[in-house]
């Protein structure tokens, strides 16, 4: 991630509000055994060129070696989304 300091609740909320408000991007929470362990996202979606940016963040060591990153990546990259995104 871009920040290296401990992120405050207020910073988390501001980030989340930005995620909800911006078009052209989709975010998912990565779950492992029903517990959140990271996020995966597609952003800068440009349907006219067929291009986008993709990102994955796992912030919980329990997810290492489980296939959670692979599963989340495949799921996100197979997402076609609504046509108006």
């Amino acid at each position: 991630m871009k920040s290296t300091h401990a992120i405050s609740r207020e910073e988390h909320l501001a980030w989340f509000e930005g995620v909800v408000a911006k078009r052209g991007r989709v975010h998912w929470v990565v779950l492992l055994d029903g517990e959140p362990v990271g996020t995966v996202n597609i952003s800068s979606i440009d349907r006219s060129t067929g291009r986008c940016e993709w990102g994955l963040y796992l912030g919980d060591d329990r997810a290492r070696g489980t296939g959670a990153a692979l599963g989340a990546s495949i799921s996100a990259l197979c997402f076609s989304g609504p046509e108006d995104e």
Side-chain angles (χ1 to χ4, degrees), residues 27-67:
H27 285 258
W28 295 272
V29 174
V30 178
L31 300 176
L32 179 65
D33 298 327
E35 295 291 320
V37 295
T39 65
V40 64
N41 68 81
I42 298 175
S43 60
S44 301
I45 299 169
D46 185 339
R47 291 198 179 273
S48 67
T49 63
R51 297 178 186 263
C52 68
E53 295 178 12
W54 166 87
L56 171 72
Y57 173 75
L58 294 179
D60 191 319
D61 287 339
R62 294 177 297 159
R64 292 180 187 256
T66 65

